[in-house]
Amino acid sequence: SAVISQKPSRDICQRGTSLTIQCQVDSQVTMMFWYRQQPGQSLTLIATANQGSEATYESGFVIDKFPISRPNLTFSTLTVSNMSPEDSSIYLCSVEETANTEAFFGQGTRLTVV
Amino acid sequence: KQEVTQIPAALSVPEGENLVLNCSFTDSAIYNLQWFRQDPGKGLTSLLLIQSSQREQTSGRLNASLDKSSGRSTLYIAASQPGDSATYLCAVLGGGADGLTFGKGTHLIIQP
């Protein structure tokens, strides 16, 4: 199974600032995803990170707020821009080694916006 | 739109009991179903993956079944232990959605 390293593990940020979260995988994977878990809620897909092209965003999520990069098959970043307290959540990176196979998750980034 | 429901939302049982967690989904056109465990403040640990063509999967004390036509899955935990205390999440891949669609989870407490 893929081993996923996500950084930072947690952060406290001021409103109006931006935070970039990194996701590094120990092997090449086809699919990379970013999820959000709001307090007391389950996970919601933000976007699919596409290697070499723009990410595919789910309804309710936009590129200006959540820009995503995926320069290669082992690395992706998610930026949370112009943060507000409503962005306080756990953000998780997920990978599938090939499409439609078992999904693995990083340990998540716990973000608090004050 | 795919929707996933988990019952019960919370469960507290004495150590040693066998228990069943339930998951249902609305769109049966899925690729697979996955059960995860989430400990407080942590990421997700994959427990079992059932492909759409399979009926069940087993790992140690865990057994998951899938009835795709009726849109149901169960996770059976045998001889529960305090270390099994966690939130258990059911997620499906497919059914018109990209990525996984998650249920809200079952918060499980095993009393010593």
Side-chain angles (χ1 to χ4, degrees), chain B residues 16 25 34 36 38-39 45 54-55 84 93 97 103 111:
Chain B
F25 47 95
Q34 212 166 337
F36 294 90
Q38 185 174 32
D39 293 284
T45 300
Q54 297 175 321
R55 298 283 295 186
D84 295 330
L93 181 67
Q111 306 155 9

Side-chain angles (χ1 to χ4, degrees), chain B residues 83-105:
Chain B
D84 295 330
S85 298
T87 296
Y88 289 80
L89 294 166
C90 170
V92 297
L93 181 67
D98 292 326
L100 290 166
T101 302
F102 281 84
K104 292 186 176 181

